[in-house]
Amino acid sequence: MLETSEPVLQVQGLKTLFNTRSGNLHAVNSVSFNLQAGELLGVVGESGSGKSVTMMSLIGLLPTPPAEVQAGSVMFGGQDLLKLSQRSLQNLRGRDIGFVFQDPMTSLNPVFTVGFQIMEPLRRHMGMNKSEAQARAIELLDLVGIPDARRRLKDFPHQFSGGMRQRVMIAIALACDPKVLIADEPTTALDVTIQAQILELVKELRQKLGMAIIWITHDLGVIAGIADRVMVMYGGQVVEYGPVREVFANPAHPYTRALMTTVPSVRGARAPKLNVIEGQPPILSQHPIACPFRARCPKAFDRCGRENPARYDVAPGHDAACFWDYQTGAPR
Amino acid sequence: MTKPRRKLVEVRNLKMYFPIHAGVLRRHVGDVKAVDDVSFDIFEGETLGIVGESGCGKSTCGRAVLRLYDITDGSIKIDGVEIGSKSQSALRKLRPTMQMVFQDPQASLNPRMTVAGIIGEPMDEHTDWSKARKLERIYELMDAVGLNRNFVNRYPHSFSGGQRQRIGIARALALNPKFIICDEPIAALDVSIQAQVVNLLEELQDRLGLTYMFISHDLSMVRHIADRVAVMYLGKFIELAPRDALYAEPLHPYTQALLSAVPDPDPASEERVERIILKGDVPSPANPPQGCNFCNRCPKVMDICREIDPEFRELESGHFVACHLYNDAGQTGASRHEHTQQGEDA
């Protein structure tokens, strides 16, 4: 599934600032990545690492002000999304790029039926009439595994359980056959058994529909189960990027390493004591001239406070932003 | 675990029902059986983990054990004292031995009080110590939970989530309790901070000989911290076992499904794992199915499950389970054998 020719989405040097009363927050700093056709890119990071803001910046969903996309380019279908007007972006969102958000209760409108909300993008983007849209909506609810779809169209969001609502969100996102699906913590609000249902559904839908997916999460376990490639973010930057197996087997950034050992496993060996990343995540108000992880990093040395490390190739397709080289056990 | 084990907490047939009132006359039409006939012990110095999905009653169970609710029925003994039927005013004197750490450190700390005020409040209520003595104890507690003494006059908003949880823990420790209920203490924290708080709780347990009831939906974290683990489903305990036994060889079909659903941060193990995907959702606790609560989602359901609610019984020493698959009597004997075999293979 990896290494296909032309990426569907190419992000280069994306920078997003928030202008706040107490100064600028550098929420996203020089983020670059490619999304290949049909692949699932997992984005991991803690709250405030910039993973959601990155994806919102791509498609112009951030309120401006306070947010400001300062630099970078986002190439999708031969055009730079950052240069498009709001109107053209509106035509693109929901049609070429679909979304699923974390909390299905707040992202569905409680006063409209589920059927109306699934049919809305179909009628707006695909120009379907009511009966066509309805037929497609039933098909979509079937696809995401909601039984008795025809009757359920008339139900309101509160009549669905959390897992079912998230299925509805996925149905809406898939309505217009998007090329890219961005899912922002879609299973975080759900229980594990329901999460397992949704993950299974996504695996199945990928095979059927072959779209590219960006899956944002803070759960390394979810990434390990479904992603082809993983991007680890910290302090608004990409600190590691590569194929899932390669990154898990051979993590090259101290943050990725630490993250993997702070999470206890449910099946593997049980560690007597949890590894701890001391300290707090960085405050993003300073200009990012040094490595954001240096204060918590076991390998930090003087250079890390002077320069912000650029990403270097660890292995083909696998890079990390760090001055320390685990392969040689010495600074690069 | 070889030392003689004294029961610190004994809970028998605990029931916590919330009445449902409907109609113009607000008549009592039914109950939400949030905790329905639960019995267990917690031994001194151990951690009992309670796991389950949202709505299974695990938090209500914790709160009921501390008598934060007036329970519907049952007996609760803490350190030999029966508290199930005591009035709230009589309970007040007993509160110092039992404390609680809450899930949301933002909501459980008064934003208008300083750290000194928050940690000192239990002492104001329960001791007649002098100001100086209280302050000394506050400093001692801040050291114990790893908070900088200089922050003593700050307000909760100037702390991060992990630090706020430390304030909550310091408050719980203020009166030297024996028993602490931790209700999802790490759920609101980032992964890198979760480990800090869990390590702190473990360290305090070693040092002060605390007994914990650790309520969480995070099965991997419970595996790390708990000595014994109870699994709840729809208001009932369905399995209770020593940690290693439960994780290595879960007996109840729900526990098996629950454990298989947890994603493991290892792509190789993720590929190997055989997921049991449950159909449907948890039924409403106001209207549980007849027979076993799990019968409408259970992949191994039998006829008897839809009629009779299985008894919560001890199968092997210390391993309790409520499932007809393990009832030796009658028609279910054969399937029990087959079932344990499967467990061994896994």
Side-chain angles (χ1 to χ4, degrees):
Chain A
M1 193 92 17
L2 294 175
E3 311 318 330
T4 38
S5 51
E6 183 72 350
V8 265
L9 190 71
Q10 263 179 303
V11 179
Q12 270 301 327
L14 187 72
K15 266 188 198 195
T16 305
L17 290 184
F18 284 93
N19 300 309
T20 65
R21 253 189 294 178
S22 48
N24 286 341
L25 280 183
H26 302 262
V28 175
N29 182 39
S30 303
V31 165
S32 306
F33 66 92
N34 291 343
L35 182 70
Q36 309 290 341
E39 83 166 342
L40 197 149
L41 173 70
V43 182
V44 223
E46 296 177 73
S47 30
S49 63
K51 49 196 196 306
S52 295
V53 176
T54 302
M55 299 312 153
M56 307 268 272
S57 313
L58 298 187
I59 34 94
L61 272 183
L62 286 176
T64 313
E68 185 193 337
V69 179
Q70 259 205 331
S73 70
V74 179
M75 299 306 291
F76 176 77
Q79 44 189 355
D80 186 351
L81 298 188
L82 297 183
K83 297 210 171 75
L84 289 183
S85 64
Q86 270 304 329
R87 173 164 289 254
S88 338
L89 277 174
Q90 273 171 15
N91 287 332
L92 206 93
R93 288 195 292 251
R95 191 186 62 197
D96 297 316
I97 302 181
F99 302 93
V100 180
F101 295 103
Q102 173 169 354
D103 184 348
M105 194 65 229
T106 49
S107 37
L108 287 170
N109 191 331
V111 301
F112 291 108
T113 62
V114 156
F116 177 86
Q117 297 184 60
I118 303 180
M119 281 147 67
E120 193 184 6
L122 292 168
R123 301 188 67 181
R124 186 183 186 293
H125 292 305
M126 315 286 272
M128 288 186 182
N129 65 31
K130 206 170 170 190
S131 60
E132 283 168 349
Q134 189 166 13
R136 173 79 177 134
I138 293 171
E139 209 179 290
L140 284 162
L141 284 187
D142 269 341
L143 183 73
V144 297
I146 293 183
D148 203 3
R150 181 173 294 275
R151 197 178 54 78
R152 294 295 262 170
L153 282 183
K154 298 191 192 75
D155 284 349
F156 289 89
H158 73 263
Q159 289 165 295
F160 289 80
S161 67
M164 284 295 167
R165 265 182 233 139
Q166 202 56 290
R167 285 169 192 260
V168 170
M169 282 303 295
I170 293 174
I172 295 173
L174 296 178
C176 304
D177 277 329
K179 294 190 191 73
V180 175
L181 178 74
I182 300 178
D184 189 353
E185 305 250 11
T187 57
T188 305
L190 306 176
D191 279 315
V192 276
T193 58
I194 309 296
Q195 167 171 289
Q197 290 175 359
I198 299 283
L199 293 179
E200 208 58 27
L201 171 71
V202 168
K203 282 186 200 163
E204 208 184 289
L205 290 176
R206 276 184 71 196
Q207 284 188 339
K208 263 190 222 166
L209 310 174
M211 69 212 146
I213 302 177
I214 298 177
W215 190 283
I216 304 175
T217 178
H218 64 267
D219 188 340
L220 279 174
V222 170
I223 295 284
I226 61 166
D228 302 310
R229 218 184 283 266
V230 57
M231 176 161 97
V232 184
M233 290 192 70
Y234 188 82
Q237 307 189 10
V238 177
V239 295
E240 188 153 5
Y241 173 85
V244 154
R245 283 185 163 257
E246 161 74 16
V247 171
F248 274 86
N250 183 20
H253 195 281
Y255 177 65
T256 317
R257 289 190 166 231
L259 208 55
M260 283 171 187
T261 49
T262 51
V263 192
S265 152
V266 79
R267 276 179 282 278
R270 182 180 167 277
K273 198 160 172 66
L274 286 181
N275 221 329
V276 162
I277 311 179
E278 294 296 347
Q280 303 292 326
I283 296 154
L284 299 169
S285 51
Q286 288 112 359
H287 206 72
I289 43 162
C291 174
F293 191 56
R294 68 186 183 286
R296 307 173 79 186
C297 182
K299 300 286 182 200
F301 56 104
D302 50 348
R303 191 179 172 194
C304 308
R306 291 196 311 265
E307 284 173 64
N308 197 345
R311 285 158 70 179
Y312 76 101
D313 282 332
V314 181
H318 176 194
D319 61 60
C322 186
F323 290 128
W324 185 266
D325 189 338
Y326 277 100
Q327 276 157 3
T328 59
R332 281 193 299 123
Chain B
M1 277 298 113
T2 43
K3 62 187 176 220
R5 302 208 296 172
R6 193 172 75 91
K7 288 176 189 169
L8 186 72
V9 180
E10 283 176 76
V11 176
R12 291 290 172 272
N13 307 98
L14 178 66
K15 286 180 189 162
M16 183 67 231
Y17 293 175
F18 296 98
I20 306 169
H21 299 281
V24 191
L25 300 171
R26 314 306 298 160
R27 271 211 310 242
H28 181 209
V29 292
D31 293 294
V32 173
K33 298 180 177 175
V35 178
D36 193 10
D37 204 1
V38 161
S39 303
F40 59 93
D41 299 319
I42 305 179
F43 297 101
E44 196 163 29
E46 78 163 352
T47 302
L48 177 71
I50 310 274
V51 295
E53 298 183 276
S54 39
C56 72
K58 54 191 191 304
S59 286
T60 308
C61 179
R63 287 164 168 259
V65 167
L66 282 197
R67 284 291 317 279
L68 300 187
Y69 299 121
D70 283 327
I71 59 173
T72 310
D73 195 19
S75 131
I76 303 161
K77 261 190 210 162
I78 293 184
D79 209 7
V81 184
E82 171 64 47
I83 64 162
S85 49
K86 277 217 161 50
S87 70
Q88 289 295 343
S89 56
L91 276 171
R92 204 171 178 77
K93 291 197 197 68
L94 301 167
R95 292 275 175 220
T97 47
M98 42 181 180
Q99 290 291 322
M100 189 147 181
V101 176
F102 297 93
Q103 169 169 3
D104 186 348
Q106 172 86 53
S108 59
L109 303 178
N110 187 337
R112 288 160 183 264
M113 287 168 82
T114 61
V115 170
I118 292 168
I119 303 178
E121 200 180 17
M123 301 175 219
D124 298 340
E125 284 292 322
H126 291 280
T127 68
D128 49 7
W129 295 351
S130 68
K131 261 200 167 140
R133 170 128 193 245
K134 278 182 203 160
L135 191 64
E136 192 189 320
R137 176 78 180 138
I138 290 168
Y139 280 144
E140 206 180 289
L141 288 162
M142 290 181 77
D143 291 345
V145 299
L147 283 171
N148 190 328
R149 284 185 177 204
N150 297 329
F151 298 163
V152 72
N153 288 319
R154 293 200 185 177
Y155 290 87
H157 69 84
S158 50
F159 292 91
S160 67
Q163 286 172 320
R164 280 190 207 132
Q165 203 52 288
R166 287 172 195 265
I167 300 173
I169 294 170
R171 173 177 61 184
L173 292 174
L175 298 168
N176 276 323
K178 288 185 177 156
F179 176 49
I180 299 184
I181 294 190
C182 306
D183 186 4
E184 301 260 16
I186 52 166
L189 308 175
D190 264 320
V191 272
S192 74
I193 309 297
Q194 285 185 352
Q196 295 178 2
V197 172
V198 165
N199 280 358
L200 172 67
L201 286 171
E202 286 190 315
E203 193 190 300
L204 291 169
Q205 181 170 43
D206 284 350
R207 189 138 49 96
L208 307 172
L210 298 169
T211 304
Y212 291 141
M213 177 164 161
F214 191 91
I215 300 167
S216 179
H217 66 274
D218 184 339
L219 286 134
S220 34
M221 203 52 101
V222 166
R223 179 179 180 218
H224 179 79
I225 196 170
D227 300 306
R228 289 188 306 140
V229 181
V231 184
M232 270 188 95
Y233 185 80
L234 218 60
K236 292 192 183 219
F237 276 25
I238 53 137
E239 189 159 358
L240 170 70
R243 175 229 307 144
D244 292 336
L246 187 96
Y247 282 83
E249 201 182 309
L251 295 178
H252 197 284
Y254 176 66
T255 317
Q256 292 168 352
L258 195 63
L259 287 175
S260 85
V262 181
D264 218 13
D266 172 10
S269 131
E270 276 296 293
E271 240 162 58
R272 277 198 311 271
V273 65
E274 279 191 29
R275 289 246 136 86
I276 305 167
I277 306 282
L278 291 178
K279 301 248 166 25
D281 293 300
V282 184
S284 154
N287 186 20
Q290 202 197 343
C292 174
N293 275 346
F294 189 53
C295 69
N296 57 347
R297 299 174 81 197
C298 183
K300 293 177 177 156
V301 65
M302 302 174 294
D303 291 338
I304 186 175
C305 305
R306 300 187 206 277
E307 286 155 27
I308 301 164
D309 193 14
E311 197 190 336
F312 187 62
R313 49 194 281 275
E314 190 164 9
L315 203 68
E316 292 147 29
S317 125
H319 200 145
F320 296 81
V321 64
C323 182
H324 288 301
L325 287 170
Y326 306 100
N327 278 346
D328 289 317
Q331 71 212 67
T332 56
S335 56
R336 159 168 161 59
H337 181 67
E338 178 197 332
H339 193 79
T340 20
Q341 291 261 306
Q342 279 179 3
E344 276 156 14
D345 292 342

